[in-house]
Amino acid sequence: LQLQESGPGLVKPSETLPLTCTVSGGSITIDNYYWAWIRQPPGKGLEWIGNIYYTGTTSYSASLTGRVAIFVDTSKNQFSLMLSSVTAADTATYFCARRPYGAEFDFWGQGTVVTVSS
Amino acid sequence: QSVLTQPPSASGTPGQRVTISCSGSSSNIGRNYAYWYQQLPGTAPKLLIYSNNRRPSGVSDRFSGSKSGTSASLAISGLRSEDEADYYCAAWDDTLSVVFGGGTKLTVL
């Protein structure tokens, strides 16, 4: 199984950050697995953003609720992140990952660096 | 400020045994499994321990995990230079979220 993030490396403040994770080597519609976004600001720790089940059921971090949305496109075997009203604090490496249960993330993408700057 | 508390740094010499602690609360580690991740510089985190003390296939048995109450620990025995990395603990929280520790930077002296 492989996951690959894609999206703009640079986003302006107040705009919306769109990222996509393409899953290959396996189906995104597999039962009992969630698909997650996690980010890591430069030099800092990991932060869970949220996740989605292939049926469209989502869960989000309370600290980002209202600005974040995750979507799934089963026909393309992809899931996407939209983070609105971004600020410099959203500058980070964004990872997509598969979550079987709890806080277990067993497959990760390589990560994509996003900088918020005018 | 991370929900789970880890020491920012740890160190040891080759061959030594090192432990890294992770302190949580009743809403996360106290009632749910603990997980550990290893992150080498410039790479994505790698699952090291799941369900408190289980190792994924391919992870060396030099790595072991344990949990007691609201705390978890990662032990690394026979320390090697390639173990130098950042280590993160994680858990499911009853607030319906995943929480991480702030990370521990392990230095092999």
Side-chain angles (χ1 to χ4, degrees):
Chain A
L1 187 74
Q2 291 188 318
L3 292 83
Q4 177 69 58
E5 306 88 350
S6 59
L10 180 65
V11 181
K12 289 182 169 54
S14 80
E15 294 189 343
T16 295
L17 163 65
L19 293 175
T20 295
C21 182
T22 301
V23 179
S24 59
S27 175
I28 204 169
T29 61
I30 187 171
D31 284 337
N32 301 316
Y33 287 89
Y34 294 84
W35 303 92
W37 288 98
I38 297 152
R39 69 180 181 178
Q40 184 172 36
K44 296 188 177 181
L46 302 168
E47 178 186 17
W48 176 74
I49 297 171
N51 50 236
I52 191 164
Y53 197 62
Y54 76 90
T55 56
T57 301
T58 54
S59 296
Y60 301 128
S61 167
S63 66
L64 295 172
T65 297
R67 291 205 298 135
V68 63
I70 299 176
F71 305 94
V72 64
D73 186 336
T74 56
S75 67
K76 295 181 179 178
N77 228 34
Q78 294 177 335
F79 63 105
S80 300
L81 169 71
M82 299 285 277
L83 184 63
S84 62
S85 304
V86 296
T87 69
D90 295 309
T91 293
T93 298
Y94 285 75
F95 298 98
C96 60
R98 189 178 79 165
R99 181 169 85 86
Y101 179 81
E104 180 179 344
F105 301 97
D106 58 355
F107 286 93
W108 295 68
Q110 64 186 27
T112 187
V113 176
V114 176
T115 301
V116 178
S117 175
S118 55
Chain B
Q1 186 115 356
S2 301
V3 174
L4 305 181
T5 301
Q6 297 179 236
S9 63
S11 63
T13 55
Q16 266 191 329
R17 183 176 186 270
V18 171
T19 62
I20 298 172
S21 62
C22 175
S23 177
S25 68
S26 59
S27 66
N28 41 67
I29 293 178
R31 271 201 288 270
N32 300 293
Y33 290 126
Y35 301 78
W36 290 92
Y37 295 87
Q38 177 193 59
Q39 187 177 30
L40 298 171
T43 69
K46 169 190 170 184
L47 181 65
L48 211 56
I49 297 289
Y50 68 99
S51 300
N52 298 334
N53 55 17
R54 303 188 69 176
R55 282 185 307 275
S57 173
V59 172
S60 171
D61 59 5
R62 296 187 301 106
F63 295 93
S64 62
S66 64
K67 184 183 109 168
S68 178
T70 59
S71 293
S73 291
L74 173 71
I76 309 171
S77 60
L79 199 62
R80 299 177 180 174
S81 58
E82 59 258 39
D83 298 332
E84 192 160 285
D86 293 325
Y87 292 85
Y88 293 90
C89 61
W92 178 255
D93 192 281
D94 289 347
T95 55
L96 304 182
S97 63
V98 174
V99 292
F100 286 97
T104 298
K105 184 176 184 61
L106 175 64
T107 301
V108 181
L109 301 169

